[in-house]
């Protein structure tokens, strides 16, 4: 019973943390209420706007609907018969726009030349748009956004794997309900979102980011033949090659350029087929082509956040109608520049929020009930190319009749658009517990009332059919009034969609603060059980305690600034280096362990360098990009064998790890289960080296051997790791620890556990894995050496107490390893490719486990299971006589300290989120940081509980 008396506080703290986080999340990460209402054609009769029939009948100046669309009139007059939507996942704006639009030309620019050609040759019937997406920029949220017209909520990021079906009103639902035939091919996420909507579907698995071609080849196989068929009204082809090439190789890579060139070839064929069948009576006479991205990507190929590179994507639209349409310049957002050949080319801007409602207006469908976007004037005019307005300006009364025609139609569309948005906001406020505030509703209601009052006067003039009245200025003001209302709604939704529940957030924060006191009391309790005061001998007011508290407090306080969160890796490495300089004082004074301190400081330089490399992956404006590449290239030019050195260093590090493990086997008392586990790890290291050699493009192996190395070796390593853990569990349950003394047993168990876990973590981390593992081993050795520096090897006769400083250094070093291994606290900081090492198909639970191990292996799993080294190295057999089971008591106190040190910054992170909940970067920075911190804390708590269960000796053993 005594061991459970020591263990229960760890489980209690884990439960308290879980409760606190759940309560806080319920108050902070609230999801938007999805209303179960759907728009119908008959609903428009409730609006104060004209129907498509009444507008045409009451005003002869308004042209009738096209013959092809006369059979079906709903909210607006159908302007197109068919829409072909080609989605290139993660299509950056600079993939599509000419390179002359940017300060510097890059290798990946000007590859989609066919789009430039069409935009130049077809004038106003073909245009390139910069499409602005709303974060988070994961594919699921973007697909929901471009079909529902609503804003995605942060919590939905968790649904990016295994997406649920969309239950709220959306563009695809409206298409099917109104008799449109929809065909889909490509990314199977569409099938998860819309499982029963497509007339025909050709889905392909989308989550294997290492696969650049399967989805694209499937689209190519079915796309061109489908263009000759008349069994669809809307065709969606979703390509994934660019997204996957970015994740694996980055934007500036040969596979990326090859993919863009392949897409250019595909688009040339598609445009050729459409043009040849666009003559009067042809299959594609009234077809609208849309080539678009769902989001952008960073130079490192990541996306998910709200940076300009991630939210700026592209939309190319082309109508095959003749003559082409244009709009008054007052409604245009065009920006024109000369291309490489000196020809003027223009691009415009569109919000992705406006996409579904604009397409609904073009197809004559009811607008999705939850849409808050605005019918974009340029895309709407381009698709509805029945009004000839070339060169027209407001105030230019030449062709004023045609201008008036276009504006009457567009202002009526905006009237319906505004009425729908107002209807949705009113229903949302009435139906949802989390509605908009009275002040916000009063402001938007005032804007809508003013717009509708003005509309009532204009509509009288339109219905009176008085040709002597110039209504163009009034129409212009009315369009502005509707646009202002719609813009205010979108701005309101973006800023205040989530009404934070401050009571729950404060309660969660209070429970987290209480957990810190529980930690402290648990540490004191362990001391009292050994008749040792926590305050008098261990920590008290020593300089080491003050330094430890200062370091933890500094790191926690840094989370109150978004700049310090962005530089968290640098801050942590700086604090850790400061502790090394502090220990340098003792080393110089006592003239010993100087080598340990010196190596530790060198290791901090390595950590800082690797963290800078991680910052390079996040932004092209990082200091590394500006400072380091110049001399790196110089060194590479001076050393012809630099490439071979870079590829061999990870193998050398792996050999060193195997050598150290072999030395541990031969020099320790390892026997039985523990010995088999360590030999199994050495075998795994050999397999990892062979796996990396097979991936080396400088070596050439038979295809069969390469196939075995790709998937079989990682699976063997995973299976071996599970087998080793099973052996360790068997040894814990049935082993005889009393055959060895407690210290040797603890050291052997620790070495065996780290040996069992390390191969899986290393292979998931890639070729940097062995270097990070070796760095963690060296760092741990140096921290243990510095722990022996101040009070000596014997610990001055202390029985239980554990120094605070080495535990603090251990925890800070774990954080440094997180950033050194190429991660950062953002969803684009996840290395999704690691989840597919050894597997090609996607299985949610399996891939989630592998991704978690890769993300937190070096920063949580290995440091926690390696912590006993600090305790065991300062524990001598003579100390065991001073108290029963004292070794485990010291270990339990060390784990409580470690948990407290990790919980303090998470508590500060929660406080930061409460304070900064209205900050501009709350969803782009503070919320992802919070999510990563709480996941790491829960994983830390669970790992500590498992570690204490594993390391606890039998009652009769020690």
């Amino acid at each position: 019973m005594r061991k459970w008396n020591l263990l229960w506080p760890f489980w209690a703290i884990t439960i308290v943390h879980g409760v606190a986080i759940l309560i806080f999340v319920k108050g902070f990460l609230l999801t938007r209420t999805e209303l179960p209402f759907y728009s119908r054609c008959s609903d428009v009769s409730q609006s104060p706007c004209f129907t498509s029939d009444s507008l045409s009948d009451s005003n002869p100046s308004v042209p009738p609907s096209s013959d092809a669309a006369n059979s079906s009139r709903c909210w607006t007059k159908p302007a197109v018969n068919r829409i072909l939507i080609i989605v290139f996942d993660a299509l950056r704006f600079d993939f599509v726009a000419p390179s002359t639009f940017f300060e510097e030309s890059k290798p990946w620019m000007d590859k989609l030349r066919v789009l430039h050609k069409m935009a130049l040759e077809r004038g106003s019937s073909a245009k390139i748009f910069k499409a602005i997406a709303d974060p988070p920029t994961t594919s699921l949220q973007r697909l929901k956004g471009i079909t529902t017209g609503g804003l995605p909520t942060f919590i939905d990021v968790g649904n990016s794997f295994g997406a649920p079906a969309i239950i709220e009103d959306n563009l695809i639902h409206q298409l099917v309900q109104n008799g449109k035939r929809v065909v889909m091919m490509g990314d199977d996420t569409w099938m998860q979102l819309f499982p029963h909507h497509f007339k025909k579907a050709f889905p392909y698995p989308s989550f294997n980011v290492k696969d650049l071609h399967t989805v694209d080849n499937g689209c190519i196989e079915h796309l061109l033949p489908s263009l000759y068929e008349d069994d669809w009204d809307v065709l969606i082809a979703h390509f994934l090659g660019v997204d996957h090439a970015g994740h694996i190789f980055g934007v500036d890579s040969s596979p990326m350029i090859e993919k863009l060139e392949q897409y250019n070839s595909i688009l040339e064929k598609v445009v050729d087929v459409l043009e040849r069948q666009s003559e009067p009576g042809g299959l594609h006479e009234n077809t609208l082509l849309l080539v678009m991205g769902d989001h952008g990507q960073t130079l490192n190929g990541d996306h998910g956040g709200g940076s300009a590179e991630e939210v700026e994507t592209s939309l190319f639209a082309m109508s095959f109608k003749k003559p082409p349409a244009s709009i008054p310049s007052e409604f245009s957002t065009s920006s024109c520049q000369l291309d490489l050949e000196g020809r003027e080319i223009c691009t415009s801007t569109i919000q992705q929020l406006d996409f579904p409602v604009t397409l609904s207006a073009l197809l004559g469908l009811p607008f999705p009930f939850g849409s808050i976007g605005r019918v974009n004037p340029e895309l709407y005019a381009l698709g509805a190319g029945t009004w000839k307005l070339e060169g027209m300006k407001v105030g230019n009364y030449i062709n004023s009749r045609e201008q008036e025609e276009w504006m009457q139609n567009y202002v009526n569309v905006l009237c319906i658009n505004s009425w729908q948005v107002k209807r949705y906001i009113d229903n949302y406020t009435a139906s949802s517990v989390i509605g908009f505030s009275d002040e916000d509703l009063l402001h938007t209601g005032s804007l809508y009332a003013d717009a509708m009052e003005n509309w009532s006067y204009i509509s009288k003039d339109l219905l009176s059919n008085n040709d002597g009245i110039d209504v163009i200025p009034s129409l212009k003001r009315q369009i502005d009034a509707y646009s202002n209302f719609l813009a205010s709604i979108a701005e309101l939704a973006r800023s205040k969609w989530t009404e934070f529940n401050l009571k729950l957030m404060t309660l969660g924060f209070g429970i987290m603060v209480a957990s810190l006191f529980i930690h402290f009391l648990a540490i004191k309790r362990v001391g009292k059980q050994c008749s040792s005061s926590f305050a008098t001998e261990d920590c008290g007011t020593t300089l080491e305690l003050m330094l430890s508290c200062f370091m933890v407090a500094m790191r926690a306080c840094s989370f109150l600034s978004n700049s310090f969160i962005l530089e968290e890796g640098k801050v942590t490495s700086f604090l850790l280096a400061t502790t090394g300089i502090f220990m340098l004082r003792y080393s110089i004074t006592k003239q010993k362990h100087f080598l340990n301190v010196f190596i530790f400081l060198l290791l901090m330089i390595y950590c800082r360098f690797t963290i800078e490399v991680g910052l390079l992956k996040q932004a092209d404006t990082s200091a590394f990009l500006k400072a380091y590449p110049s001399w790196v290239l110089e060194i590479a030019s001076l050393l012809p064998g630099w490439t071979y050195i870079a590829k061999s260093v990870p193998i050398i590090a792996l050999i060193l790890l195997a050598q150290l493990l072999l030395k541990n086997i031969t020099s320790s008392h390892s026997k039985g289960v523990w010995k088999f586990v360590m030999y199994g790890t050495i075998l795994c290291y050999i397999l990892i080296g062979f796996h990396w050699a097979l991936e080396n493009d400088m070596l050439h192996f038979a295809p069969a051997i390469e196939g075995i190395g790709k998937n079989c070796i990682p699976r063997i390593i995973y299976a071996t790791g599970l087998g080793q853990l099973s052996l360790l569990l068997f040894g814990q349950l049935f082993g005889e620890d009393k055959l060895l003394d407690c210290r040797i047993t603890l050291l052997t168990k620790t070495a065996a556990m780290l040996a069992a876990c390390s191969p899986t973590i290393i292979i998931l981390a890639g070729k940097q894995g062995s270097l990070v593992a070796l760095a963690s081993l060296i760092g741990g050795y140096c921290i243990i050496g510095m722990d022996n520096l101040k009070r000596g090897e014997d610990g001055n006769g202390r029985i239980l107490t554990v120094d605070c400083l080495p535990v603090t250094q251990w925890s800070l070093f774990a954080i440094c390893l997180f950033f050194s291994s190429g991660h950062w606290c953002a969803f684009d900081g996840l290395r999704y490719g690691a989840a597919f090492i050894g597997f090609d198909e996607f299985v949610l639970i399996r891939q989630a486990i592998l991704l978690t191990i890769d993300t937190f292996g070096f920063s949580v799993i290995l440091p926690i299971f390696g912590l006993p080294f600090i305790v065991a190295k300062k524990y001598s057999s003579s100390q065991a006589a001073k108290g029963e089971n004292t070794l485990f008591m010291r270990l339990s106190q060390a784990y409580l300290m470690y948990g407290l040190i990790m919980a303090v910054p998470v508590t500060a992170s929660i406080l930061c989120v409460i304070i900064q909940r209205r900050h501009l970067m709350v969803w782009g920075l503070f919320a992802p940081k919070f999510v990563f911190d709480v996941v790491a804390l829960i994983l830390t708590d669970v790992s500590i509980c498992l570690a204490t269960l594993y390391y606890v000796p039998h009652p009769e053993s020690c």
Side-chain angles (χ1 to χ4, degrees):
M1 293 296 296
R2 183 182 180 100
K3 68 176 182 179
W4 295 111
N5 194 35
L6 288 171
L7 287 177
W8 73 261
F10 295 104
W11 295 97
I13 290 170
T14 302
I15 294 173
V16 171
H17 283 167
V19 171
I21 290 169
L22 284 176
I23 292 175
F24 184 85
V25 165
K26 188 172 179 60
F28 174 53
L29 298 181
L30 297 174
T31 58
R32 174 174 57 87
T33 303
E34 295 182 345
L35 302 184
F37 303 128
Y38 295 86
S39 299
R40 294 176 174 82
C41 284
S42 58
D43 294 345
V44 76
S45 61
Q46 305 169 16
S47 76
C49 314
F50 294 133
T51 64
S52 56
D53 290 327
S54 64
L55 183 61
S56 298
D57 296 339
S58 64
N59 193 345
S61 66
V62 178
S65 304
S66 62
D67 294 337
N70 275 337
S71 60
S72 155
R73 292 184 178 180
C74 195
W75 286 20
T76 60
K77 293 182 297 186
V80 296
N81 289 347
R82 314 179 96 195
I83 296 182
L84 170 59
I85 304 174
I86 298 178
V87 181
F88 292 142
D89 207 289
L91 187 70
R92 288 166 57 105
F93 179 60
D94 58 4
F95 287 169
V96 175
S99 58
T100 53
F101 278 68
F102 307 94
E103 294 182 359
E104 183 180 356
S105 178
K106 299 294 185 179
W108 59 82
M109 296 179 181
D110 298 320
K111 300 304 177 185
L112 300 179
R113 297 174 297 276
V114 64
L115 301 185
H116 299 176
K117 177 184 177 183
M118 293 296 103
L120 285 166
E121 292 181 353
R122 288 190 163 265
S124 57
S125 67
K127 177 163 286 190
I128 296 172
F129 293 85
K130 176 193 286 186
I132 309 298
D134 288 288
T137 48
T138 55
S139 293
L140 169 66
Q141 276 65 43
R142 288 295 84 233
L143 292 184
K144 289 187 69 173
I146 62 179
T147 54
T148 65
L151 293 174
T153 51
F154 180 85
I155 199 65
D156 286 339
V157 172
N159 295 327
S160 288
F161 297 102
I166 295 178
I167 60 173
E168 60 182 328
D169 199 3
N170 58 81
L171 176 62
I172 305 298
H173 170 81
Q174 290 296 337
L175 287 168
V176 175
Q177 288 298 111
N178 288 275
K180 302 295 184 182
R181 301 160 298 174
V182 186
V183 173
M184 189 284 303
M185 55 193 67
D187 187 346
D188 62 354
T189 304
W190 289 89
M191 295 300 299
Q192 299 172 38
L193 295 176
F194 310 102
H196 308 294
H197 292 71
F198 301 113
K199 182 178 183 295
K200 290 195 300 185
F202 308 96
Y204 296 89
S206 59
F207 285 116
N208 187 356
V209 294
K210 296 187 297 180
D211 185 354
L212 305 185
H213 306 295
T214 298
V215 177
D216 290 359
N217 291 341
C219 287
I220 296 170
E221 177 184 354
H222 298 286
L223 176 57
L224 292 176
S226 298
L227 298 182
Y228 294 96
E229 300 174 359
D230 60 357
D231 61 348
W232 57 268
D233 300 297
V234 175
L235 190 153
I236 301 169
H238 192 146
F239 293 75
L240 279 176
V242 160
D243 179 66
H244 289 183
H247 281 302
I248 300 300
F249 303 103
V251 171
D252 192 4
S253 63
S254 297
M256 177 64 76
I257 294 173
E258 291 171 1
K259 269 296 164 187
L260 292 173
E261 291 175 342
Q262 180 189 26
Y263 288 175
N264 185 73
S265 176
I266 295 168
L267 290 175
E268 286 179 341
K269 296 176 182 177
V270 169
V271 170
D272 180 62
V273 173
L274 296 178
E275 284 185 326
R276 283 191 281 109
Q277 301 185 69
S278 63
E279 69 281 353
L283 187 60
H284 297 293
E285 176 188 5
N286 198 14
T287 296
L288 178 66
L289 170 65
L290 299 174
V291 180
M292 61 184 296
D294 54 347
H295 51 73
Q297 58 178 305
T298 64
L299 290 180
N300 195 47
D302 299 316
H303 57 88
S307 69
E309 290 179 305
E310 294 167 279
V311 301
E312 291 180 359
T313 182
S314 300
L315 170 65
F316 172 81
M318 183 167 68
S319 171
F320 293 88
K321 290 183 179 180
K322 296 178 182 180
S326 182
I327 65 171
S329 60
E330 281 76 2
F331 307 119
S332 174
T333 61
S334 293
S335 172
C336 301
Q337 293 190 34
L338 301 180
D339 66 359
L340 293 175
E341 299 180 10
R343 300 170 300 182
E344 186 177 68
I345 187 170
C346 300
T347 64
S348 296
T349 302
I350 186 175
Q351 297 289 329
Q352 270 195 358
L353 195 67
D354 303 339
F355 182 79
V357 68
T358 305
L359 260 60
S360 297
L362 288 171
L363 289 165
L365 303 175
F367 302 166
F369 188 87
S371 171
I372 58 173
R374 179 189 69 148
V375 176
N376 182 271
E378 294 177 275
L379 182 57
Y380 181 71
L382 187 150
T386 56
W387 300 285
K388 299 173 60 177
L389 302 174
E390 288 291 341
M392 195 169 296
K393 299 182 179 179
V394 172
N396 177 10
Y397 291 96
I398 302 174
N399 294 329
S400 60
R401 174 62 62 86
E402 288 83 356
Q403 180 178 351
E404 182 180 330
E405 292 170 4
W406 183 87
M407 294 180 70
Q408 286 179 12
N409 280 275
Y410 182 60
V411 78
N412 190 63
V413 169
L414 283 186
C415 177
I416 298 174
N417 191 180
S418 301
W419 164 76
Q420 165 56 32
V421 171
K422 183 65 166 58
R423 182 176 71 153
Y424 168 69
I425 294 298
D426 291 342
N427 277 272
Y428 186 87
T429 303
S431 305
S432 175
V433 178
I434 315 164
F436 296 100
S437 68
D438 293 338
E439 181 181 353
D440 293 328
L441 291 176
L442 183 63
H443 173 67
T444 56
S446 176
L447 291 175
Y448 182 74
D450 291 343
M452 295 313 300
E453 183 179 1
N454 190 49
W455 173 243
S456 65
Y457 293 117
I458 297 176
S459 60
K460 291 178 182 178
D461 294 334
L462 294 176
L463 292 172
S464 65
N465 192 24
N466 192 335
D467 293 335
I469 299 178
D470 181 15
V471 295
I472 289 180
S474 299
L475 290 171
K476 172 66 168 62
R477 287 192 298 271
Q478 188 62 33
I479 290 173
D480 289 340
Y482 284 139
S483 298
N484 289 336
F485 166 72
L486 293 169
S488 69
I489 291 293
E491 182 181 359
L492 174 63
R494 287 190 175 99
S495 62
K496 296 185 178 181
W497 195 270
T498 302
E499 282 294 330
F500 303 109
N501 190 325
L502 281 178
K503 291 183 179 179
L504 290 179
M505 294 173 71
T506 304
L507 178 60
F509 173 71
I511 296 175
M512 279 300 299
V513 173
S515 75
L516 301 183
F517 287 100
I518 296 174
H519 260 115
F520 181 79
L521 294 175
I523 295 173
K524 287 196 69 173
R525 176 177 172 274
V526 174
K528 288 181 179 180
Q529 284 185 337
C530 235
S531 300
S532 175
S533 172
F534 171 75
T536 56
E537 188 174 355
D538 176 29
C539 292
T541 57
T542 64
L543 189 59
E544 288 186 1
L545 171 63
M546 295 173 62
L547 179 63
S548 297
C549 293
F550 179 74
M551 292 298 164
V552 175
M554 283 292 292
R555 180 167 181 266
C557 292
S558 69
F559 294 163
L560 295 174
S561 167
N562 62 306
S563 299
F564 280 103
I565 291 178
L566 289 171
E567 305 287 349
E568 183 184 359
K570 291 183 181 180
V571 171
T572 306
S573 65
F574 173 80
L575 295 176
L576 190 55
T578 302
T579 64
I581 295 174
F582 174 82
M583 298 306 296
L584 185 63
R585 163 179 169 259
Y586 290 106
S587 177
I588 295 175
T589 302
K590 297 193 174 185
Q591 297 183 351
K592 63 178 183 179
H593 294 296
F594 178 79
L595 183 60
N596 281 343
V597 180
F598 179 74
I599 293 175
F600 183 77
L601 292 175
L602 287 180
L603 187 62
M604 292 304 99
I605 296 175
Y606 165 79
C607 288
R608 178 57 181 266
F609 178 83
T610 53
I611 290 170
E612 288 283 3
V613 173
L615 291 176
L616 170 62
K617 297 177 181 179
Q618 298 179 59
D620 60 348
T621 57
S622 67
F624 178 87
L625 187 67
K626 296 178 180 178
Y628 293 128
S630 57
W631 59 262
V632 169
L633 293 175
E634 290 179 4
I635 294 176
S637 62
L638 295 175
L639 297 175
W642 175 260
T643 303
Y644 295 94
I645 294 174
K647 292 181 181 294
S648 61
V649 164
I651 304 293
I652 296 173
L654 205 59
I655 294 173
L656 289 175
L657 289 173
Q659 181 64 30
L660 291 172
L661 189 58
L662 186 61
K663 182 179 179 181
N664 180 76
I665 295 174
T666 56
S667 62
S668 70
H669 295 82
S670 300
K671 59 177 60 178
V673 169
W674 324 113
K675 196 169 186 178
F676 280 116
V677 168
M678 295 183 187
Y679 275 123
T681 299
I682 294 176
L683 174 62
C684 288
Y685 286 164
I686 295 173
L687 291 176
I688 292 173
F690 183 62
H691 176 71
W692 289 345
L694 291 176
E695 290 183 340
N696 194 333
D697 52 10
M698 293 185 297
L699 302 176
H700 300 283
F701 296 90
I705 297 178
E706 291 183 353
I708 293 175
K710 178 184 177 182
N711 288 335
C712 290
I713 290 179
R715 294 181 185 182
I716 291 173
I717 291 172
Y718 303 151
T720 304
L722 288 174
Q724 289 172 308
L725 292 176
S726 300
L727 283 176
L728 293 179
L729 177 62
F730 177 85
Q732 174 67 12
L733 294 176
F734 305 105
E736 294 293 334
D737 291 345
K738 60 185 179 182
L739 297 179
L740 304 171
D741 66 67
C742 295
R743 177 177 179 273
I744 297 299
T745 299
L746 183 59
L747 288 173
T748 303
K749 282 185 174 183
T750 305
M753 177 57 72
L754 295 181
C757 296
S758 62
T760 298
I761 296 174
I762 289 174
I763 196 170
L764 289 176
K767 293 185 179 179
Q768 64 169 349
S770 59
L771 295 174
V772 178
L774 186 61
S776 64
L777 195 63
I778 296 173
Y781 175 80
C782 293
I783 291 173
I784 292 171
M786 290 187 293
D787 184 28
N788 293 324
L789 179 61
K790 188 174 182 240
R791 292 188 174 93
E793 299 290 344
D794 61 350
N796 287 340
R798 294 179 297 133
I799 298 175
L800 173 68
T801 54
V802 178
D803 291 335
C804 298
L805 186 59
V807 179
T808 303
Q809 290 176 313
W810 196 270
S811 64
L812 292 177
F813 187 53
I815 301 301
C816 283
L817 291 177
F818 174 81
F819 293 96
S820 295
S821 55
H823 299 96
W824 56 88
C825 295
F827 294 105
D828 57 355
L830 296 172
R831 298 175 59 254
Y832 297 106
F836 293 92
I837 294 179
F839 302 96
D840 292 326
E841 65 281 0
F842 176 78
V843 178
L844 177 62
I845 296 178
R846 180 182 65 201
Q847 263 58 47
I849 292 173
L850 294 178
L851 188 62
T852 302
I853 293 174
D854 171 67
T855 304
F856 297 106
F858 284 117
S859 59
V860 175
I861 299 174
L862 292 185
I864 288 175
F865 283 98
L867 185 62
F869 276 128
I870 290 181
V871 177
K873 285 295 184 181
K874 293 194 68 175
Y875 182 85
S876 62
S877 58
S878 62
Q879 291 174 317
K882 299 182 181 180
E884 181 185 358
N885 209 15
T886 57
L887 176 60
F888 179 67
M889 291 182 180
R890 293 185 63 177
L891 180 61
S892 124
Q893 191 180 60
Y895 272 126
L896 286 169
M897 287 182 182
Y898 189 93
L900 177 61
I901 292 169
M902 299 303 292
V904 169
V906 177
T907 306
S909 181
I910 291 176
L911 177 62
C912 168
V913 169
I914 295 176
I915 296 173
Q916 307 283 11
R917 64 188 183 277
R918 293 299 181 195
H919 193 280
L920 178 65
M921 300 180 67
V922 63
W923 301 120
L925 181 65
F926 293 109
K929 169 64 180 168
F930 163 77
V931 171
F932 272 77
D933 279 356
V934 297
V935 170
L937 179 64
I938 294 299
L939 188 59
T940 296
D941 289 339
V942 172
S943 298
I944 287 176
C945 291
L946 295 177
T948 52
L949 283 175
Y950 171 68
Y951 290 125
V952 59
H954 296 295
E956 70 276 6
S957 298
C958 298

